[in-house]
Amino acid sequence: MNIEPSSRRALVTVIRPRNASRYAPLTSWLLTLPLLATFAVGFLYPVSKLVALSFASGSESYLRLWGEPLYLSVLTTTAMTAAAVTVFCLVLGYPVAFAMTRFKGKAAIITAACVFVPLWTSVLIRSYAWIVLLQRNGIINDSLQGAGLTEQPLKLLYTQGAVILGMTHILLPFAILPIYATLRTLPPDFARAAANLGADRARTFMLITLPLSLPGVFAGGILCFVLALGFYITPALIGGPGSMLMATLIGQQTTVLLDWPFAAALSTILLTFTLIIVFLFRRALSLSKGFQSVH
């Protein structure tokens, strides 16, 4: 059956679905306009107002921030706490995500429930649960004294360790899910090919599975780190007055001292630090892909 070239082009145009690259520029902009408007109203405008408020009295708020060792210490403590929580989430979350890709049937359902159910529970409730566990007359101290391991109740609550423990528990699903999503996309043929070439399971994991899952690890790490930088409820409840993080300090400046320009300066510094960390994570991810392509 012979078809004229013009008819063939018309038939291909009818059959071939239209993709985004074929839309006119004006149509593309109109389609993205609601998203851009939401982003401008919900993010750019408040952030611009926040930055403008931080300069309400010139650079006095920023000079005060860099001039007082206490505020720099709080920023350092916040970054170190967020880094520790991120490391613990990745170390604990990777085996769980790896197991979720291997389990089937009831084991897979139970594991998925253990990951998703905490996400459906309020952060406030989970923080109070840790108070019940860690307080002087709590379950952990009672168990230790009942077993004869300690004579006096240990100070577990209102410590930096308790803050890291509670934040790790809350943010753990945010590390598991991206890693699980990446591991699910890895073809099983890679592992079988490595086994046929004589590699054992440990070598296959270190040379194939782990490098290919780095995008999920970086995604989970940046999620946990950014969320940990702005945590407020858990440090305030579990850490107490002795555990001062940036979010707690900003809340104190706005609700107790009513120093809005200085609170805005603190928020701007925290936002800038977060953007820098996101940029570095993206650079590290691009470098890891480059290393994989070389090998």
Side-chain angles (χ1 to χ4, degrees):
M1 179 179 178
N2 295 326
I3 302 176
E4 295 296 332
S6 58
S7 301
R8 187 182 295 113
R9 286 194 297 268
L11 182 61
V12 171
T13 303
V14 172
I15 295 176
R16 183 183 297 168
R18 174 174 290 187
N19 52 36
S21 62
R22 292 181 173 269
Y23 285 121
L26 179 60
T27 305
S28 302
W29 279 108
L30 290 176
L31 290 174
T32 57
L33 186 59
L35 177 62
L36 294 176
T38 303
F39 179 74
V41 175
F43 180 75
L44 293 181
Y45 177 73
V47 169
S48 62
K49 294 289 289 184
L50 180 72
V51 175
L53 180 61
S54 67
F55 288 99
S57 57
S59 59
E60 179 182 349
S61 298
Y62 292 96
L63 294 176
R64 176 183 171 189
L65 174 64
W66 296 113
E68 291 287 341
L70 172 63
Y71 303 131
L72 294 177
S73 175
V74 171
L75 179 60
T76 304
T77 302
T78 302
M80 294 179 62
T81 301
V85 169
T86 302
V87 171
F88 282 121
C89 285
L90 294 178
V91 171
L92 297 176
Y94 197 102
V96 177
F98 187 81
M100 289 175 64
T101 61
R102 298 297 189 270
F103 287 157
K104 298 182 182 299
K106 291 184 178 180
I109 296 175
I110 294 174
T111 307
C114 293
V115 175
F116 283 103
V117 168
L119 288 176
W120 302 335
T121 308
S122 171
V123 175
L124 185 63
I125 295 175
R126 284 183 280 174
S127 299
Y128 273 116
W130 280 109
I131 294 177
V132 174
L133 290 172
L134 299 177
Q135 62 184 344
R136 292 182 62 85
N137 296 323
I139 297 175
I140 295 179
N141 271 317
D142 288 345
S143 300
L144 292 176
Q145 288 182 289
L149 299 177
T150 59
E151 296 181 358
Q152 300 293 331
L154 301 177
K155 185 182 179 181
L156 303 176
L157 194 61
Y158 304 134
T159 61
Q160 197 65 23
V163 172
I164 294 176
L165 181 62
M167 292 173 62
T168 301
H169 169 244
I170 292 172
L171 294 177
L172 188 58
F174 295 95
I176 295 175
L177 295 179
I179 298 174
Y180 169 75
T182 304
L183 290 174
R184 287 279 294 179
T185 62
L186 300 184
D189 297 338
F190 291 170
R192 287 194 291 265
N196 291 334
L197 293 174
D200 55 10
R201 292 185 177 181
R203 190 172 179 83
T204 301
F205 174 80
M206 294 301 298
L207 296 181
I208 297 177
T209 305
L210 181 60
L212 292 178
S213 64
L214 284 181
V217 174
F218 280 116
I222 194 170
L223 272 176
C224 293
F225 189 83
V226 171
L227 291 174
L229 284 177
F231 246 52
Y232 178 77
I233 295 177
T234 302
L237 292 177
I238 301 179
S243 178
M244 181 72 72
L245 301 182
M246 284 295 289
T248 312
L249 180 61
I250 294 171
Q252 181 188 74
Q253 296 295 322
T254 55
T255 59
V256 179
L257 301 177
L258 302 179
D259 192 349
W260 286 87
F262 185 61
L266 293 173
S267 302
T268 303
I269 292 295
L270 184 60
L271 176 61
T272 304
F273 181 73
T274 304
L275 294 177
I276 293 174
I277 294 298
V278 171
F279 174 77
L280 293 177
F281 265 91
R282 288 182 61 86
R283 290 292 299 171
L285 179 58
S286 63
L287 289 176
S288 70
K289 289 182 178 179
F291 293 150
Q292 291 175 24
S293 64
V294 171
H295 294 290

